[in-house]
Amino acid sequence: MTAMGRVGWAGLVEDFHDAQVRVVSDRPVSAADAKALVARVERAWKSDVKTQRWDDEGPLRRTLTIAVLSAPAFAQFTGDATGSIAGVTTGKDTFVMPERVLHGTTRDDENTLAHELSHVQDFREAGDAMESIPTYLEEGKATVIGDAYGRESRHLADAARTMASFTGDEVAYLLRNFRRSSDEQRPPQFVYAGEVMGALFVEYLATHVRGDAVVRLADAVEAAGRGTSFTRAFATSFGRSLGEVEREFVTFVRDTEGEPGRRLEGTLYGPR
């Protein structure tokens, strides 16, 4: 099923296409490499579906395009030349990754696959309502899903250190200012802090509000996609308003400053 026809972006060709996924690139990818990549993507995709337990999987059944870019092209596309980024989502149909990931199967890279594919699923389930979902919450859910899938110990430890260092004031600031994906470009340090804070918020939901927090968040995303406001959908899923839980979360972080064990107890990032 290998083909070499021109696709979407100028200069990209199609290397592989099956019923669910197609692979395109700016430098030819072998059929064997493309098939191995698709298998990894489909494993992560199925894991995300199982974790989030979508009620209606209909929106998920459309072709996903994976654009595999050479290092220079990927750096130009993302603006990051460090080589540390393993993939980015550009919407409900496309996932862009550097070609180095074709030959690397680190747990961090698998983490990124699950993280980014969860964004694709959110885009498909929420549609235009994605803009109404706070960015910190969207990214926090994806971070927890990716971290649980990758289970890379050093990555988890780094996130735990960042979570342990947050002050209540810092969390309150991030909750106010990391809410809209359409906002102007933010510094990478701010984005990282916002994503990790979002993951801590999701884990707070799971340990202090509802144990199946990720599933309930997915339910709220689905409801938003069907026309319910996200804030109302959140309240229906959790029995509490988002604003109320945010205030309680800030209080919790203030109360646990200097007590990382207590803050992270029972979470994916807690001591083992």
Side-chain angles (χ1 to χ4, degrees):
M1 294 189 291
T2 300
M4 294 297 291
R6 289 283 170 183
V7 296
W9 302 337
L12 297 189
V13 295
E14 185 175 285
D15 301 292
F16 179 84
H17 195 167
D18 67 11
Q20 195 86 38
V21 182
R22 70 172 178 166
V23 178
V24 301
S25 63
D26 64 326
R27 291 204 297 220
V29 172
S30 73
D33 283 344
K35 288 179 181 179
L37 173 62
V38 167
R40 289 165 60 196
V41 167
E42 290 181 344
R43 279 196 300 272
W45 180 270
K46 290 175 182 176
S47 177
D48 286 1
V49 171
K50 182 178 179 180
T51 296
Q52 300 191 88
R53 292 188 230 159
W54 302 107
D55 292 329
D56 179 10
E57 295 183 17
L60 305 180
R61 297 189 188 105
R62 52 190 297 162
T63 300
L64 173 69
T65 296
I66 307 172
V68 180
L69 302 184
S70 61
F74 188 76
Q76 182 179 23
F77 182 79
T78 61
D80 178 82
T82 67
S84 60
I85 297 177
V88 294
T89 304
T90 63
K92 61 187 177 181
D93 292 326
T94 308
F95 173 51
V96 184
M97 56 176 284
E99 63 181 359
R100 69 164 180 83
V101 180
L102 284 174
H103 306 291
T105 55
T106 69
R107 298 311 303 169
D108 253 351
D109 290 342
E110 300 309 291
N111 176 328
T112 298
L113 286 179
H115 178 122
E116 296 300 331
L117 293 173
S118 76
H119 284 319
V120 172
Q121 292 181 12
D122 280 352
F123 277 117
R124 292 183 176 188
E125 294 286 351
D128 293 340
M130 275 297 293
E131 191 62 25
S132 68
I133 301 171
T135 303
Y136 82 83
L137 199 49
E138 174 198 345
E139 290 292 348
K141 178 165 71 71
T143 297
V144 168
I145 289 171
D147 288 348
Y149 184 74
R151 295 279 177 173
E152 205 283 312
S153 57
R154 185 172 61 179
H155 182 95
L156 292 174
D158 287 345
R161 279 191 293 273
T162 301
M163 290 175 175
S165 72
F166 283 132
T167 66
D169 288 346
E170 288 170 338
V171 163
Y173 177 83
L174 289 166
L175 288 171
R176 288 194 306 271
N177 293 286
F178 196 44
R179 299 190 81 87
R180 292 178 60 84
S181 60
S182 60
D183 288 348
E184 293 182 3
Q185 188 69 32
R186 307 170 176 98
Q189 300 91 334
F190 176 86
V191 173
Y192 176 73
E195 290 182 352
V196 175
M197 184 280 294
L200 181 59
F201 182 85
V202 171
E203 289 293 85
Y204 173 82
L205 287 174
T207 54
H208 293 83
V209 184
R210 298 285 185 178
D212 55 346
V214 168
V215 175
R216 289 174 181 270
L217 285 172
D219 288 344
V221 169
E222 272 191 297
R226 293 193 295 265
T228 301
S229 73
F230 180 76
T231 51
R232 177 175 293 181
F234 181 95
T236 299
S237 284
F238 288 94
R240 318 254 288 279
S241 75
L242 179 58
E244 179 185 1
V245 178
E246 287 177 340
R247 290 189 292 273
E248 292 175 355
F249 176 61
V250 172
T251 298
F252 171 75
V253 172
R254 291 192 201 284
D255 289 346
T256 57
E257 289 178 13
E259 298 183 70
R262 181 180 160 212
R263 179 176 292 179
L264 301 179
E265 183 179 5
T267 73
L268 175 64
Y269 307 92
R272 285 166 176 73

